[in-house]
Amino acid sequence: MTDRAAAVAAWEALFRAQVQVMRGLAAEFPTELMSFNEYDVLLYISRAPGRSLRLKELNRHVLISQPSVSRLIDRLAARGLVEKTDDPKDGRGTLVRLTPQGFEQFRRAAILHMQSITDRMGDSLDDGELHRLTELCDKLREAQEERLAQPRSNTPTVQ
């Protein structure tokens, strides 16, 4: 049985660290190139095979709501950074593809953003700690994904 107080303390520490790092990264983000949410969307598309991704799949990974993603994709398409097409495998789906112009703009923002991340994380943790943090966060994320994939039984009760 997990120590409840230790689990809550770990969650609070993780959450507060994430908030502080994100505030700093957001303050340093190159907004003259794109918004933080646009970057997040373009990041996922850039990592997909052929830099193309189903809109439904994109919605599963980004930090904003489905209607917001759809509007954001429309704005990116209007700026020529992405193209939307019908999914040839499923006519009900939409594919979103990063254009060469979109990839170049994403790349410029990514270089600046990665330097900010490196400065913030590298100034706080050594290489061994960074590797361990990555392992722990991956383990936690994978456990949550497995939990979401399981059918829900009973909700926790207050005792």
Side-chain angles (χ1 to χ4, degrees), residues 76-152:
L76 291 172
R79 290 171 35 208
L81 304 181
V82 299
E83 293 175 340
K84 291 173 35 176
T85 59
D86 292 334
D87 185 343
K89 297 177 184 172
D90 178 359
R92 298 169 295 167
T94 300
L95 290 177
V96 181
R97 186 181 67 76
L98 197 54
T99 65
Q101 175 190 350
F103 181 71
E104 180 55 35
Q105 192 159 343
F106 163 76
R107 191 176 157 282
R108 287 183 21 230
I111 290 168
L112 297 170
H113 187 50
M114 285 189 297
Q115 185 58 54
S116 182
I117 291 169
T118 302
D119 292 346
R120 289 188 170 278
M121 299 297 287
D123 287 349
S124 303
L125 303 171
D126 65 33
D127 288 347
E129 291 169 327
L130 290 169
H131 290 293
R132 185 68 180 137
L133 179 61
T134 300
E135 290 170 0
L136 291 170
C137 289
D138 286 346
K139 182 177 180 179
L140 183 60
R141 179 187 45 78
E142 289 164 5
Q144 302 316 303
E145 289 172 354
E146 288 174 16
R147 231 181 132 122
L148 285 173
Q150 295 173 359
R152 292 185 73 164

Side-chain angles (χ1 to χ4, degrees), residues 5-109:
V8 171
W11 161 247
E12 288 177 359
L14 175 64
F15 179 74
R16 292 184 192 293
Q18 187 265 346
V19 166
Q20 287 303 112
V21 170
M22 288 299 294
R23 283 181 180 160
L25 292 174
E28 295 172 357
F29 192 77
T31 54
E32 70 279 0
L33 297 174
M34 64 188 63
S35 73
F36 204 76
N37 285 339
E38 289 170 337
Y39 177 85
D40 190 36
V41 165
L42 295 178
L43 172 67
Y44 275 98
I45 299 170
S46 74
R47 291 182 172 177
R51 297 185 184 136
S52 180
L53 192 62
R54 283 185 60 135
L55 185 56
K56 185 176 183 178
E57 183 67 21
L58 181 62
N59 280 314
R60 288 189 194 124
H61 295 286
V62 294
L63 302 175
I64 56 178
S65 69
Q66 184 273 327
S68 296
V69 171
S70 295
R71 288 190 300 272
L72 190 145
I73 290 296
D74 288 342
R75 289 192 305 271
L76 291 172
R79 290 171 35 208
L81 304 181
V82 299
E83 293 175 340
K84 291 173 35 176
T85 59
D86 292 334
D87 185 343
K89 297 177 184 172
D90 178 359
R92 298 169 295 167
T94 300
L95 290 177
V96 181
R97 186 181 67 76
L98 197 54
T99 65
Q101 175 190 350
F103 181 71
E104 180 55 35
Q105 192 159 343
F106 163 76
R107 191 176 157 282
R108 287 183 21 230

